[in-house]
């Protein structure tokens, strides 16, 4: 990723008319514990500060952004006329409609057709990922999965993502419905010191399902929000802000 003080440009071979961007926690006006570029209105931050931060983002992008109430669902809406404001995925095939999701440990995934005419952004917590968010967003594209690229944004790494047996069971159930390139158990490291606990690899699970669905070109996945303090992390800080991952057609 190419980094600036407030924003990062992901490095992947997009068509020239497709732009993507990831914000960091720096360069805004929010006070502790939301320091400083918090873009979420639902975390307890001062609303005016969030509005100023969003305005700064809009100036950088050159477009306004439609924000959705993310509820850990598998619901994907199509811009510019969403039916519902509750969604964890956003798709567009029209210019100037910015697809954006907010995260702080969950996995943001950006999608683009190689032809440069369709884009999407999704928020994948473990519930959404196990529930079928990736297959739902891929169904929005008119092209074959082999003609879609995916970028895995900053998310919590396996080393810091402890989960219970319920999470493993959810992915085992998912594997009975959808194809993964490797067994889902591969992405769960059992803790020897704590009964019934595992360290889960969100990025690995996403890569496996993407590959299983026929997406060949997968990028990103290197940044851990827990250890990289450019990003907000709920598991690290508890009370914290949210950063954005965005993609759009120009």
């Amino acid at each position: 990723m190419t980094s600036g003080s407030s924003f990062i440009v992901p490095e992947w071979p997009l068509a020239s008319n497709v732009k993507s961007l990831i914000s960091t926690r720096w360069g805004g006006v929010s006070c502790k514990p939301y320091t400083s570029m918090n873009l979420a209105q639902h975390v307890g931050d001062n609303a005016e500060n969030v509005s100023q931060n969003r305005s700064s983002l809009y100036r950088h992008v050159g477009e306004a952004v439609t924000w959705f109430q993310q509820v850990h669902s598998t619901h994907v809406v199509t811009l510019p006329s969403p039916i519902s404001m509750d969604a964890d995925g956003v798709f567009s095939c029209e210019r100037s409609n910015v697809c954006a999701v907010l995260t702080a440990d969950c996995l943001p995934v950006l999608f683009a057709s190689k032809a440069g005419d369709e884009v999407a952004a999704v928020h994948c917590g473990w519930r959404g990922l196990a529930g079928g968010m990736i297959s739902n967003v891929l169904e929005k594209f008119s092209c074959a999965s082999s003609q879609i690229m995916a970028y895995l944004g900053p998310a919590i790494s396996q080393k810091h993502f402890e989960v219970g047996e319920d999470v493993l069971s959810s992915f085992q159930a998912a594997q009975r419905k959808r194809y993964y390139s490797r067994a889902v158990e591969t992405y769960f490291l059992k803790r020897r010191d704590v009964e019934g606990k595992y360290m889960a690899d969100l990025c690995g699970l996403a890569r496996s399902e993407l590959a299983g669905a026929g997406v060949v070109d997968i990028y990103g996945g290197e940044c851990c929000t827990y250890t990289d303090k450019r990003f907000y992390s709920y598991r690290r800080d508890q009370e914290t802000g949210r950063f954005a991952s965005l993609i759009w057609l120009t």
Side-chain angles (χ1 to χ4, degrees), residues 137-215:
V137 74
L138 291 177
E139 288 176 359
K140 290 282 187 177
F141 284 78
S142 61
C143 61
S145 294
S146 62
Q147 297 304 304
I148 300 172
M149 299 183 293
Y151 187 92
L152 308 182
I156 194 166
S157 65
Q158 183 174 23
K159 183 179 179 180
H160 300 285
F161 189 39
E162 182 185 87
V163 300
E165 292 181 347
D166 59 322
V167 179
L168 173 58
S169 297
S170 294
F171 281 97
Q172 289 172 328
Q175 188 167 233
R176 292 192 287 271
K177 301 175 184 177
R178 304 187 302 277
Y179 183 71
Y180 289 75
S181 63
R182 299 173 66 184
V184 295
E185 291 84 0
T186 305
Y187 305 100
F188 289 83
L189 179 62
K190 185 175 179 60
R191 289 196 58 172
R192 297 180 179 179
D193 55 336
V194 183
E195 183 66 27
K197 295 294 183 180
Y198 301 82
M199 307 308 292
D201 183 359
L202 271 182
C203 284
L205 287 160
R207 285 182 181 276
S208 184
E209 186 172 1
L210 285 165
V215 177

